[in-house]
């Protein structure tokens, strides 16, 4: 069973419908005791990093997620939810993140090194580039996925980077460290490839929990 963390800043409906579409048993909750029972969690997110961290800390969900991850259970962050997995953000002033992965969330540059202009936010379909083997990518090809974001992760550990996308900078798109996973794009809005990624995550969770 997959739990979707409701902290007031996630696109819960689209994630809920995506999991329903691929036949994954799941529930949505903000209650720590209910979320604790999940075999794996999804942390969605839309909005400000600083606001999201404030809510997670005030509600006790940040401490709960720390314990959940330390127990070895799987956590997937989507869009802002992925950014929250990292150490810190420069959005609206400095904020500390959950700190499960190394890296800083920074604003996407409006020009690349060659001086070419790019629209910010980065919005629309862009191709995934696979950087490292992962069970998350089993059976998949480097197709396009759907992004909506103005910030990206800079300075992350190369070993944690599973897939990226090229914009004005190289955007970490899929990350993995131990039982912690992240997707900068919206898999729930990314057609066949997005559904396959969510299914692979679920299979990883069930395999880890001995239910496969």
């Amino acid at each position: 069973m997959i739990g979707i963390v409701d902290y007031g800043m996630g696109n819960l409906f689209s994630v809920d419908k995506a999991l329903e579409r691929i036949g994954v048993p799941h529930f949505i909750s903000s209650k720590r005791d209910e979320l604790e029972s999940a075999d794996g969690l999804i942390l969605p997110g839309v909005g400000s990093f600083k606001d999201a961290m404030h809510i997670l800390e005030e509600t006790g969900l940040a401490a709960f997620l720390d314990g959940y991850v330390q127990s070895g259970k799987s956590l997937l962050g989507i869009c802002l939810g992925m950014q929250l997995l990292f150490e810190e953000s420069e959005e609206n002033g400095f904020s500390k993140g959950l700190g499960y992965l190394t890296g800083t969330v920074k604003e996407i540059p409006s020009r690349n090194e060659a001086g070419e202009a790019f629209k910010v936010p980065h919005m629309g379909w862009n191709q995934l580039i696979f950087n490292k083997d992962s069970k998350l990518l089993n059976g998949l090809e480097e197709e396009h996925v759907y992004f909506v974001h103005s910030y990206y992760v800079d300075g992350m550990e190369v070993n944690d980077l599973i897939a990226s996308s090229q914009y004005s900078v190289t955007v970490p798109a899929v990350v993995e460290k131990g039982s912690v996973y992240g997707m900068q794009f919206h898999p729930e809005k990314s057609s066949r490839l997005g559904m396959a990624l969510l299914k692979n995550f679920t299979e990883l969770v069930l395999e880890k929990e001995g239910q496969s």
Side-chain angles (χ1 to χ4, degrees):
M1 183 74 73
I2 301 296
I4 303 172
V5 183
D6 179 8
Y7 62 107
M9 292 191 66
N11 193 352
L12 303 177
F13 178 77
S14 60
V15 177
D16 172 47
K17 288 300 178 184
L19 294 181
E20 184 179 301
R21 197 176 308 137
I22 59 177
V24 173
H26 65 282
F27 64 91
I28 299 171
S29 181
S30 60
K31 297 178 180 178
R32 286 168 280 174
D33 56 341
E34 292 179 359
L35 294 170
E36 180 66 43
S37 70
D39 301 307
L41 292 178
I42 294 178
L43 180 68
V46 177
S48 161
F49 187 106
K50 180 172 283 189
D51 291 345
M53 278 305 304
H54 177 73
I55 293 170
L56 290 175
E57 288 167 353
E58 286 292 304
T59 58
L61 283 169
F64 162 76
L65 290 171
D66 288 347
Y68 192 89
V69 167
Q70 288 168 14
S71 75
K73 288 188 174 183
S74 300
L75 172 65
L76 169 64
I78 293 176
C79 197
L80 172 61
M82 176 187 125
Q83 295 175 1
L84 295 170
L85 304 176
F86 286 83
E87 293 174 299
E88 58 192 19
S89 172
E90 296 180 355
E91 184 180 2
N92 298 329
F94 176 83
S95 303
K96 284 190 175 181
L98 293 168
Y100 306 144
L101 294 99
T102 300
T104 300
V105 177
K106 297 182 177 181
E107 189 170 9
I108 297 171
S110 60
R111 293 187 180 274
N112 65 11
E113 291 183 350
E116 297 171 299
F118 287 79
K119 290 183 178 179
V120 179
H122 173 205
M123 184 181 298
W125 295 85
N126 210 341
Q127 186 171 8
L128 280 188
I129 301 165
F130 295 169
N131 297 87
K132 184 180 176 182
D133 289 339
S134 167
K135 289 184 177 180
L136 268 183
L137 305 179
N138 278 354
L140 306 184
E141 297 181 358
E142 294 179 327
E143 299 176 13
H144 286 67
V145 290
Y146 190 78
F147 290 85
V148 183
H149 64 125
S150 298
Y151 289 78
Y152 78 108
V153 177
D154 185 41
M156 69 170 294
E157 295 286 344
V158 174
N159 287 339
D160 301 336
L161 181 62
I162 303 304
S164 58
S165 191
Q166 198 61 41
Y167 200 57
S168 59
V169 289
T170 299
V171 175
V174 182
V175 299
E176 175 183 344
K177 183 176 183 179
S179 62
V180 175
Y181 306 87
M183 299 177 192
Q184 177 60 75
F185 52 93
H186 287 275
E188 75 279 10
K189 297 180 180 179
S190 296
S191 192
R192 189 201 71 84
L193 180 56
M195 295 300 101
L197 282 163
L198 288 174
K199 190 169 184 180
N200 281 353
F201 169 71
T202 302
E203 289 176 355
L204 279 171
V205 169
L206 296 180
E207 180 182 301
K208 184 170 293 187
E209 297 301 312
Q211 299 178 38
S212 57

